Amino acid sequence: LGNDAGYLAKVIPNLSLFFGDIGEYNGHVECVNAQKRLQYLLCRFVETVSTSSKTPVALFLDDLQWADPASIAAIRLLILSKPLRFFIL
């Protein structure tokens, strides 16, 4: 994820537990671009984690009836992206 890991960690603070110290992201992104960028980075993160692991990575989604449209769009992107060998949704 490179420099974009800081952007993803700003949205999901617990990622610093996974990545360690990744610094802070202080940039500004417009709202529409921010949503697309976050979806892209989420897919890249899942791809990176699942391909660097020898064991399957499972993402369990619960209470999807409460998900907002942006979250549904991100999940849809994960489902429709290229198949990942060690990723289960």
Side-chain angles (χ1 to χ4, degrees), residues 15-71:
L15 284 183
S16 62
L17 298 173
F18 184 76
F19 285 122
D21 184 29
I22 53 178
E24 286 192 28
Y25 178 82
N26 294 319
H28 172 73
V29 180
E30 293 179 24
C31 186
V32 174
N33 292 334
Q35 183 177 350
K36 289 179 182 180
R37 184 176 184 187
L38 180 60
Q39 290 172 349
Y40 169 76
L41 289 175
L42 180 63
C43 287
R44 288 287 319 265
F45 172 72
V46 169
E47 179 182 353
T48 301
V49 170
S50 64
T51 56
S52 66
S53 176
K54 299 282 187 216
T55 60
V57 175
L59 179 60
F60 179 78
L61 303 172
D62 192 16
D63 294 330
L64 282 177
Q65 72 271 21
W66 303 115
D68 65 320
S71 298

Side-chain angles (χ1 to χ4, degrees), residues 69-85:
S71 298
I72 295 295
I75 293 166
R76 174 182 223 126
L77 196 59
L78 278 172
I79 291 170
L80 297 176
S81 66
K82 67 179 181 178
L84 299 173
R85 186 173 178 187

